[in-house]
Amino acid sequence: MFNLFLKKAINYFSSEEKEKIQAAIHEAEKSTTGEVRVFVEHYCKRGHAVERAAEVFHSLKMDETADHNGVLIYIALSHKRMAIYADAGIYSKVEQNYWNELLHKMQGHFKHSKFAEGVLAVIHDIGQKLTENFPDGSLQKNQKPDELVFGKR
């Protein structure tokens, strides 16, 4: 049962798309001290996607970045829920409207089953915002892995 779930979740993204997403995260982090992660699971295990995103954010230790500027893109594919969860450092500098606009942008892509395109667009925008607020990423090592994380049942 677990293997079937994992296969379904992973198959929303082709190998090429996963590589593009990982490359986009790497590119987004190049000029900033910020960190971006993407977490995908089949079902949301909480009532609200933001609650689950917060739980995942902490379990991935995204709150342990030096400048508290980690950003998690959370997606529950079957429940069609998503959230963007940002640590206090970046959240204090960027208004909630910005994060809502990014979610809306991603939802627009997802409505047309363009999952990778939606994620890529949002990663690009987050990278720009992190660079504006936390420049000089070249001075710091990558603090978190760039590959997508797939949830387990």
Side-chain angles (χ1 to χ4, degrees):
M1 185 70 148
F2 169 72
N3 288 337
L4 178 62
F5 155 73
L6 194 55
K7 186 176 179 183
K8 283 175 117 179
I10 291 172
N11 284 339
Y12 277 97
F13 301 99
S14 69
S15 295
E16 181 182 330
E17 289 170 331
K18 286 183 255 181
E19 288 175 15
K20 284 182 181 179
I21 291 169
Q22 185 172 340
I25 292 170
H26 180 74
E27 185 64 30
E29 294 175 351
K30 253 186 181 174
S31 301
T32 179
T33 60
E35 292 289 329
V36 180
R37 305 267 337 243
V38 178
F39 182 89
V40 180
E41 64 184 348
H42 205 53
Y43 296 105
C44 183
K45 298 176 182 179
R46 296 280 179 237
H48 297 282
V50 173
E51 291 173 2
R52 178 65 177 143
E55 183 178 74
V56 170
F57 186 88
H58 295 290
S59 74
L60 294 174
K61 301 182 190 289
M62 292 292 293
D63 54 342
E64 295 179 7
T65 59
D67 294 324
H68 298 285
N69 55 359
V71 180
L72 175 72
I73 301 168
Y74 168 80
I75 304 163
L77 292 165
S78 287
H79 279 162
K80 298 178 182 173
R81 294 184 189 163
M82 58 188 70
I84 298 174
Y85 194 89
D87 207 351
I90 185 66
Y91 193 79
S92 68
K93 295 180 180 214
V94 180
E95 294 184 11
Q96 182 61 44
N97 286 343
Y98 175 77
W99 306 111
N100 292 342
E101 288 171 14
L102 288 183
L103 280 174
H104 184 70
K105 182 183 225 178
M106 194 162 54
Q107 288 167 342
H109 286 281
F110 278 38
K111 283 180 185 176
H112 301 289
S113 297
K114 295 184 184 237
F115 305 111
E117 291 89 341
V119 173
L120 289 166
V122 170
I123 290 169
H124 174 75
D125 291 352
I126 291 170
Q128 287 183 326
K129 195 57 76 172
L130 285 169
T131 298
E132 287 172 26
N133 290 281
F134 297 94
D136 299 325
S138 60
L139 302 175
Q140 184 175 337
K141 290 176 30 174
N142 194 12
Q143 298 176 70
K144 302 291 174 191
D146 294 340
E147 69 270 358
L148 277 86
V149 180
F150 292 93
K152 297 176 183 150
R153 224 172 215 218

